[in-house]
Amino acid sequence: MDGNTSGEDGNDIDWNTEDELEIDNFTLSSSSSLTVPGGEAVVACGESSSSPGPSNSKVVDHFVGMGFSGKMVAKAIQEHGEENTDSILETLLTYSALESSPQEQQQVDCNHCSSDNEGSFLDDFSDMDSFSDNEEIINPTSEKEKKILSLVNMGYTVEEASIAIERCGLDSTVVELTDFIFAAQTARAEDVNFPLEEKPRPNHAYKKRKLLEYEMLKKKRQMRLGNQTTGEDDETVHLPNPMVGFGIPSEPCLKTQRNLPEGARGPPYFYYENVALAPKGVWTTISRFLYDVQPEFVDSKYFCAAARKRGYVHNLPLDNRFPLIPLPPNTIHEAFPLTRKWWPSWDTRTKLNCLQTCIASAKLTERIRKAIEDYDGEPPLGVQKYVLDECRKWNLVWVGRNKVAPLEPDEVEMLLGFPKNHTRGISRTDRYKSLGNSFQVDTVAYHLSVLREMFPNGINLLSLFSGIGGAEIALHRLGIPLKNVVSVEKSAVNRSVVRSWWEQTNQRGNLYDLEDVQQLNGDSLEHYMNLFGGFDLVVGGSPCNNLAGSNRHHRDGLEGKESSLFYDYFRILDLVKCIMSKNN
């Protein structure tokens, strides 16, 4: 969503395109009598527990719950020790990949028992890149060759292995390399040629490892159930037209009931948002990770005078929704009545396009003025088309005779449902950036309105990627007291905006500011949840930088540097659910 602040560079922006994971409640009973004294225990949701126990039963249960056999887990723990969970997982993944072939399994066992025996059945090889998938890699003489051999033995091709090592670096572990290969395979499931060259190096190995863990678990469950694996292309999420989700204020009863998977039901309630027009497969992956809940796609043009096509995955009830009062302006002329005087008849816009983080330059608006000022009446159709195209791209409004201008920050605040002067006090550039990346408050409040009767005495909120506090403001305007809010936002500018709003509105609850979702772990969550009794709602909208259609150069989907932070939203939500389940 980020962009330049100058309209000079905007001609290459694709404005027309901008705007399965079910976590079963596995019974983690001890299936092995193996115990290892001391150390941290790993909980089922992927984080380390802060309280050590007398045995490693949680470590065993964690990996057994992922689908590995108790015997295999015991062997891996005996080999690496219970604290080295990464090495345990690496060994288990290797065992699992080869368990279907007794001969290969025996070879892997031998390799893990004694590295000195590797050379007894291997010969020399020279040029790795010249080998085909069927050619044998023999006598590895370097660390790179050994890792390639290990990946090939796990079922990957030499090409996949070599590219993964090249991109991730020779220092990467086998787990990180398999993470990279699997992430690329998932992102391009439809491409059998596996063009990894277009994929950047992954920055968050943990997130991809979580995906790999789940895929292996799913395959094992399906093998036990005798089901066939369903390809992702068979589960494509289709965007509705019109984009009104499960109902809007003018048509509130499109859908009032749905059957949520058992693992998705609240409490806690969760609410996740991102751009609707994401690359192929993104919303399928998001839905799968968020407990197989189907997205609700809504365009905010049904709530205000500006379009904002977004997808929302949540487990909130659908009945008894209501809009914020007073209703916001619904057309351009309602929002900006003074522009009607100058609005030409041939500009038939009634709604603005999606509000961006960037605005048109003065040079562009001057070119538009010069293009039409020489005509006494209506300009030729060619000139009209040029002007209208630019006005739609940059959300320009008429402020004088033959004169257009971009929206002011105060006007953007009003369109998005924020209080007047909400972002005032920070730089003009930061105001546009923060607002362009925010929620449309009226849309979000309509979805969250069902919580007012459920939490009349107030709500405990975990707000991830808080931005400038769209969710907090929506709840406040709905009349839901904010008892405790843990707000996680990387931008110091945005944090200052939320803190200022909190103080100016005389909130009686507690606001806790945190900087980085990647640093929010199980210990921190447990601390806050013990402090005030858990979270009622987990809200978040991870960065859309690699999803938005306007980002042509880095539209890498959930594998992109910023948008891969979605996996942190899932990780944290899963931790909250696990901790609350344990406490209950």
Side-chain angles (χ1 to χ4, degrees):
M1 293 282 289
D2 289 340
N4 299 322
T5 57
S6 171
E8 293 302 299
D9 299 325
N11 292 331
D12 62 346
I13 296 179
D14 186 2
W15 295 91
N16 290 330
T17 58
E18 161 54 15
D19 219 48
E20 75 206 39
L21 170 61
E22 175 181 352
I23 299 298
D24 293 330
N25 292 324
F26 292 107
T27 304
L28 298 181
S29 59
S30 298
S31 58
S32 171
S33 59
L34 172 69
T35 58
V36 180
E40 286 188 332
V42 182
V43 298
C45 39
E47 282 289 335
S48 297
S49 169
S50 60
S51 56
S55 71
N56 74 327
S57 60
K58 289 186 178 180
V59 180
V60 175
D61 288 347
H62 171 61
F63 290 110
V64 170
M66 288 167 53
F68 299 110
S69 68
K71 182 178 179 181
M72 188 184 298
V73 173
K75 182 175 181 180
I77 292 178
Q78 184 178 8
E79 181 176 347
H80 297 288
E82 64 173 310
E83 295 182 356
N84 197 346
T85 54
D86 281 351
S87 296
I88 294 173
L89 177 59
E90 181 178 344
T91 301
L92 292 173
L93 291 173
T94 305
Y95 288 170
S96 179
L98 299 177
E99 65 181 353
S100 60
S101 172
Q103 180 178 358
E104 290 181 351
Q105 181 63 54
Q106 182 180 1
Q107 186 183 72
V108 172
D109 292 343
C110 187
N111 290 344
H112 280 274
C113 293
S114 175
S115 59
D116 296 336
N117 293 335
E118 282 186 329
S120 62
F121 62 93
L122 299 173
D123 296 320
D124 184 34
F125 91 86
S126 55
D127 189 358
M128 165 200 66
D129 294 331
S130 65
F131 279 75
S132 68
D133 295 344
N134 296 325
E135 289 179 303
E136 185 179 10
I137 301 176
I138 50 179
N139 194 19
T141 57
S142 67
E143 185 65 25
K144 182 177 181 180
E145 294 168 359
K146 290 179 181 179
K147 288 187 176 180
I148 291 175
L149 176 64
S150 179
L151 292 169
V152 170
N153 284 339
M154 293 173 66
Y156 300 110
T157 67
V158 173
E159 181 185 8
E160 291 171 341
S162 60
I163 293 176
I165 293 174
E166 178 184 352
R167 294 300 176 87
C168 297
L170 189 58
D171 296 336
S172 303
T173 65
V174 173
V175 171
E176 290 172 333
L177 295 173
T178 56
D179 288 343
F180 176 80
I181 295 173
F182 187 82
Q185 289 175 334
T186 302
R188 300 213 171 204
E190 71 277 4
D191 189 347
V192 297
N193 293 322
F194 189 59
L196 278 177
E197 290 79 359
E198 298 178 9
K199 283 295 175 185
R201 173 180 175 177
N203 295 291
H204 311 295
Y206 168 80
K207 303 164 192 173
K208 313 303 183 300
R209 186 181 308 129
K210 188 73 179 178
L211 178 60
L212 180 58
E213 290 176 9
Y214 166 69
E215 290 295 335
M216 293 190 63
L217 174 59
K218 183 182 70 173
K219 290 178 182 178
K220 287 178 175 293
R221 289 209 327 262
Q222 290 175 338
M223 288 176 63
R224 288 197 298 267
L225 297 174
N227 293 336
Q228 295 181 349
T229 302
T230 302
E232 287 203 11
D233 286 346
D234 297 332
E235 303 175 16
T236 302
V237 174
H238 299 284
L239 298 181
N241 186 19
M243 199 175 287
V244 295
F246 302 143
I248 55 177
S250 59
E251 300 178 53
C253 300
L254 295 181
K255 184 174 183 179
T256 58
Q257 293 182 348
R258 57 176 174 166
N259 294 321
L260 290 173
E262 182 67 28
R265 298 173 185 173
Y269 292 99
F270 63 86
Y271 187 83
Y272 175 81
E273 179 258 17
N274 218 312
V275 292
L277 303 178
K280 182 179 180 180
V282 165
W283 278 106
T284 299
T285 300
I286 291 174
S287 175
R288 190 170 69 243
F289 265 76
L290 296 180
Y291 317 106
D292 283 329
V293 176
Q294 292 303 304
E296 178 175 10
F297 294 105
V298 183
D299 190 337
S300 67
K301 71 179 183 180
Y302 299 104
F303 290 84
C304 67
R308 205 172 190 79
K309 298 178 177 66
R310 294 294 184 266
Y312 304 90
V313 180
H314 61 85
N315 61 347
L316 298 168
L318 304 181
D319 53 341
N320 299 323
R321 289 172 165 181
F322 58 88
L324 287 175
I325 301 297
L327 296 175
N330 197 42
T331 66
I332 296 175
H333 291 323
E334 289 178 8
F336 310 112
L338 296 180
T339 65
R340 188 187 297 269
K341 175 181 178 180
W342 306 108
W343 209 274
S345 60
W346 45 270
D347 186 348
T348 58
R349 289 179 296 159
T350 60
K351 301 280 187 177
L352 293 167
N353 195 5
C354 182
L355 303 175
Q356 303 290 330
T357 58
C358 49
I359 62 171
S361 67
K363 289 183 179 180
L364 176 61
T365 57
E366 179 66 12
R367 285 203 304 268
I368 292 175
R369 184 185 66 80
K370 289 181 178 180
I372 58 179
E373 68 178 358
D374 294 334
Y375 302 98
D376 292 333
E378 291 187 359
L381 293 179
V383 175
Q384 292 182 24
K385 183 180 185 304
Y386 162 73
V387 172
L388 287 177
D389 285 347
E390 296 299 330
C391 287
R392 290 190 180 100
K393 284 181 183 179
W394 298 103
N395 285 317
L396 303 175
V397 295
W398 299 90
V399 295
R401 179 177 172 81
N402 301 330
K403 184 180 180 181
V404 293
L407 298 171
E408 292 296 321
D410 291 346
E411 295 170 330
V412 178
E413 284 178 347
M414 179 267 294
L415 289 168
L416 293 176
F418 287 92
K420 187 175 181 179
N421 297 324
H422 181 65
T423 57
R424 193 169 183 177
I426 63 178
S427 73
R428 184 179 175 89
T429 300
D430 284 338
R431 293 184 75 181
Y432 283 118
K433 182 177 180 180
S434 298
L435 288 163
N437 286 322
S438 70
F439 286 154
Q440 204 290 320
V441 174
D442 299 274
T443 308
V444 172
Y446 184 69
H447 298 158
L448 300 182
S449 61
V450 296
L451 298 173
R452 192 167 74 176
E453 291 186 0
M454 301 169 64
F455 299 98
N457 298 322
I459 196 169
N460 292 328
L461 173 68
L462 175 56
S463 181
L464 305 176
F465 315 101
S466 294
I468 53 176
E472 291 87 332
I473 292 171
L475 292 167
H476 173 70
R477 291 187 60 191
L478 286 168
I480 303 174
L482 299 171
K483 293 194 299 185
N484 296 281
V485 176
V486 176
S487 174
V488 190
E489 169 56 41
K490 188 174 184 179
S491 168
V493 170
N494 289 346
R495 292 199 304 272
S496 70
V497 170
V498 174
R499 174 62 68 176
S500 177
W501 171 83
W502 186 272
E503 294 171 352
Q504 291 174 12
T505 52
N506 299 315
Q507 298 292 326
R508 297 181 180 181
N510 303 303
L511 174 64
Y512 304 92
D513 291 319
L514 301 177
E515 295 185 15
D516 191 352
V517 295
Q518 294 179 280
Q519 301 301 318
L520 184 58
N521 55 28
D523 292 341
S524 301
L525 288 168
E526 201 154 16
H527 165 73
Y528 288 112
M529 295 169 75
N530 289 335
L531 192 63
F532 45 76
F535 294 106
D536 304 308
L537 176 66
V538 180
V539 172
S542 56
C544 64
N545 303 57
N546 309 114
L547 306 182
S550 57
N551 190 346
R552 285 182 172 180
H553 299 291
H554 302 285
R555 198 167 187 244
D556 302 317
L558 294 178
E559 304 312 315
K561 179 180 179 181
E562 287 82 15
S563 295
S564 63
L565 290 172
F566 157 73
Y567 296 106
D568 278 296
Y569 177 87
F570 159 71
R571 173 182 64 84
I572 294 169
L573 172 61
D574 198 41
L575 278 170
V576 170
K577 291 172 68 69
C578 288
I579 295 172
M580 290 183 66
S581 177
K582 180 183 68 174
N583 291 342
N584 290 337

